[in-house]
Amino acid sequence: MRVIKFGGTSVGSPERMSTVAELTLQQPQPVVVVLSAVSGTTNALVEMAALATEGRHKKALIQLDQLQEKYLAFVPELLKTEAGKQQGNDILKDHFGWLERLLSKEGFGTVEEKEVLAQGELLSTRLFSAFLKERDIKSTLLPALDFMRIDQWGEPEIETIRELVLPLLGENPTGIYITQGYICRNHRGEIDNLRRGGSDYTASLVGAALRADEVQIWTDISGMHNNDPRVVANTKPLAHMSFDEAAELAYFGAKILHPSSILPAQKYNIPVRLLNTMKPQDEGTLISGTTEEAGIRAIAAKDGITAVKIRSGRMLMAYGFLRRVFEVFEQHRTPIDMITTSEVAVSLTIDDATNLDAITKALEAYGTVDVDREQTIICMAGYNLINQRGKAAQALEAVQHLPVRMISYGGSRHNLSLLIPSQYKTDALQSLHRRLFTE
Ligand code: ASP
Ligand code: MG
């Protein structure tokens, strides 16, 4: 069994959807197809939900109309027969009608918001099913809301997902199954989601639940590149990466893959292939449990980072200090990314600064607190990097002209991360690329 996932741009137009159908037909069956919402849809729904939350229902409905216009143009291009068009329009009526009712609701809250956000994937999968049906291609729609489950902490429950999805596939799974990325139900049974970009995560969770042979993530770039192609010229896709390397890079900025999506695949040892819908013949990147050459293999950057430094005379030889510092972040449900310490101070980074004021206030009980905003984490990943003599020196040499705020090395064997002010990101990525990959 294979699980193949297509992102928003891959289903972003009627032609692209028909490419998705072709690519699906080329797969060995049974195959589970996970679809994102048509590109732009989730963003639009997020905006409408925000307006409805503020009580600006009229404005939300105007935006809903604009979105519907796009879909009204999409359907007759996608579906050609009378019956097909009729079905397409019925699908739009269902979902846009429902959205209209939701967005008009007084007391619009988070439950309604999640329902609104779910409509994008529900639409794309139903339209894709109608498209296959029109071409006489048999497929089965698997409603993600019937099997994708998260617990009270928002964590997916793979074994529950397995128990729920297996009966839906039938005794002898055959053919094409279609399901929605991103959406799920929470422990209260309400509609929920795996957070933005979560369709990749759905694919690897379903892959893990079904113990699939392979998970494929189809996007619009030919695999994971050795540096950010938007910032650096002549980047190259990596043919192969280990789960560990891919996880470091996805977490620290590589946009191609949702950071959580490596873990389920790694746990069940399911290879993940990153492929390009526009260039299906390209090799892409295979992420698996095997590793190859050592050294720094790829660089990624994550912006919008805030560094927090706590300096305390009392830290010297005091046990329990770090625990108290970490507890502050835990109480404010804010994950920490990088940490560096000295005898008198500790610096750490967060990317969610929502509760920063409260955190700073609480930390002031333990020492002087300094905050630096607009920082960027530059993450370098490579298998067993830590045992490669001279590699870290090479990297630091490449950025010697830049102000490096933090260095993190040795936390895992596969990663070296630097924190720099964001204004130097382009320079840092280009200098590192030159020194590490071209000289
Ligand atoms: N449609 C969702 C989003 O835009 C999920 C996804 O595309 O992965 O975030
Ligand atoms: Mg994505």
Side-chain angles (χ1 to χ4, degrees):
M1 175 106 63
R2 264 192 198 173
V3 178
I4 61 176
K5 177 258 169 180
F6 294 92
T9 40
S10 301
V11 293
S13 68
E15 308 92 82
R16 295 267 173 85
M17 261 203 193
S18 98
T19 308
V20 168
E22 275 166 42
L23 293 170
T24 301
L25 285 171
Q26 288 163 15
Q27 300 285 336
Q29 296 179 355
V31 61
V32 179
V33 185
V34 177
L35 297 185
S36 288
V38 169
S39 56
T41 304
T42 311
N43 283 344
L45 295 172
V46 167
E47 274 181 39
M48 289 171 217
L51 288 167
T53 306
E54 292 168 15
R56 297 165 70 192
H57 301 278
K58 265 217 180 98
K59 181 103 200 278
L61 293 175
I62 293 172
Q63 296 202 1
L64 180 65
D65 259 353
Q66 290 164 353
L67 185 66
Q68 188 170 9
E69 290 298 319
K70 285 213 304 203
Y71 278 85
L72 285 169
F74 195 99
V75 161
E77 251 193 83
L78 180 74
L79 302 160
K80 301 293 178 197
T81 63
E82 274 318 304
K85 283 194 180 62
Q86 181 65 45
Q87 201 194 350
N89 286 327
D90 288 347
I91 293 169
L92 297 192
K93 251 188 226 138
D94 278 357
H95 293 276
F96 281 92
W98 181 229
L99 278 167
E100 193 181 327
R101 262 169 285 154
L102 278 171
L103 290 165
S104 312
K105 216 160 148 182
E106 288 308 315
F108 184 98
T110 50
V111 173
E112 288 79 16
E113 180 194 355
K114 303 272 174 65
E115 281 191 43
V116 166
L117 297 188
Q119 303 307 310
E121 273 71 12
L122 292 169
L123 269 166
S124 64
T125 45
R126 282 187 74 187
L127 290 173
F128 185 63
S129 300
F131 177 76
L132 293 186
K133 189 172 159 210
E134 196 182 68
R135 312 229 153 163
D136 278 330
I137 302 165
K138 270 192 74 176
S139 69
T140 311
L141 198 56
L142 294 178
L145 298 178
D146 290 354
F147 63 90
M148 289 303 291
R149 290 289 180 275
I150 53 173
D151 63 17
Q152 67 264 46
W153 315 110
E155 289 300 320
E157 302 182 296
I158 295 180
E159 288 316 305
T160 309
I161 294 172
R162 179 175 170 81
E163 278 164 34
L164 293 170
V165 74
L166 279 180
L168 302 178
L169 295 174
E171 291 252 313
N172 259 320
T174 46
I176 299 168
Y177 297 91
I178 300 165
T179 194
Q180 298 85 17
Y182 177 60
I183 63 174
C184 60
R185 282 189 194 276
N186 61 28
H187 67 293
R188 287 188 293 269
E190 298 153 355
I191 295 181
D192 211 317
N193 61 60
L194 301 173
R195 295 195 278 274
R196 294 306 306 273
S199 295
D200 297 341
Y201 200 13
T202 299
S204 82
L205 289 165
V206 172
L210 295 175
R211 320 289 192 251
D213 309 317
E214 183 170 305
V215 172
Q216 296 181 350
I217 309 284
W218 289 82
T219 62
D220 46 12
I221 178 166
S222 296
M224 201 180 271
H225 282 231
N226 61 355
N227 205 332
D228 189 335
R230 291 162 303 181
V231 179
V232 179
N234 302 320
T235 60
K236 282 198 209 90
L238 293 161
H240 179 250
M241 301 201 86
S242 67
F243 286 123
D244 288 324
E245 289 169 327
E248 303 273 11
L249 288 168
Y251 188 71
F252 287 120
K255 287 285 175 320
I256 185 168
L257 196 64
H258 186 282
S260 307
S261 50
I262 299 295
L263 209 62
Q266 183 165 26
K267 188 164 169 206
Y268 292 89
N269 198 22
I270 298 164
V272 176
R273 218 179 267 281
L274 307 178
L275 293 158
N276 188 347
T277 321
M278 258 73 85
K279 293 183 180 167
Q281 64 289 350
D282 283 3
E283 188 186 3
T285 300
L286 175 66
I287 303 168
S288 74
T290 49
T291 46
E292 325 169 11
E293 76 227 69
I296 294 174
R297 300 190 57 227
I299 308 170
K302 186 173 179 177
D303 295 322
I305 303 293
T306 303
V308 181
K309 181 167 72 190
I310 307 106
R311 185 201 299 271
S312 163
R314 274 175 293 156
M315 189 175 167
L316 192 67
M317 292 196 300
Y319 51 81
F321 178 81
L322 285 176
R323 178 177 54 75
R324 285 194 290 274
V325 167
F326 289 156
E327 264 169 11
V328 169
F329 289 85
E330 191 183 335
Q331 276 152 15
H332 294 91
R333 302 190 68 81
T334 301
I336 296 168
D337 288 333
M338 267 174 93
I339 316 165
T340 53
T341 64
S342 82
E343 269 305 296
V344 292
V346 53
S347 273
L348 31 84
T349 70
I350 55 175
D351 80 340
D352 177 1
T354 321
N355 299 320
L356 185 62
D357 288 346
I359 290 171
T360 312
K361 233 174 134 214
L363 288 174
E364 274 163 358
Y366 306 121
T368 320
V369 182
D370 287 314
V371 172
D372 291 312
R373 291 173 186 268
E374 281 177 58
Q375 304 285 307
T376 293
I377 293 177
I378 307 276
C379 164
M380 288 163 262
Y383 182 71
N384 214 5
L385 183 60
I386 197 91
N387 291 329
Q388 300 296 299
R389 289 198 193 147
K391 278 293 162 200
Q394 245 180 30
L396 292 179
E397 210 176 271
V399 293
Q400 60 180 315
H401 58 296
L402 300 176
V404 177
R405 167 76 176 74
M406 285 167 68
I407 300 174
S408 174
Y409 180 63
S412 90
R413 282 180 299 144
H414 319 298
N415 170 293
L416 162 63
S417 295
L418 309 174
L419 187 76
I420 55 161
S422 299
Q423 71 206 89
Y424 302 111
K425 166 178 135 175
T426 304
D427 189 340
L429 288 179
Q430 289 173 349
S431 304
L432 286 165
H433 197 80
R434 215 176 303 123
R435 183 76 179 88
L436 296 171
F437 300 145
T438 64
E439 278 176 9

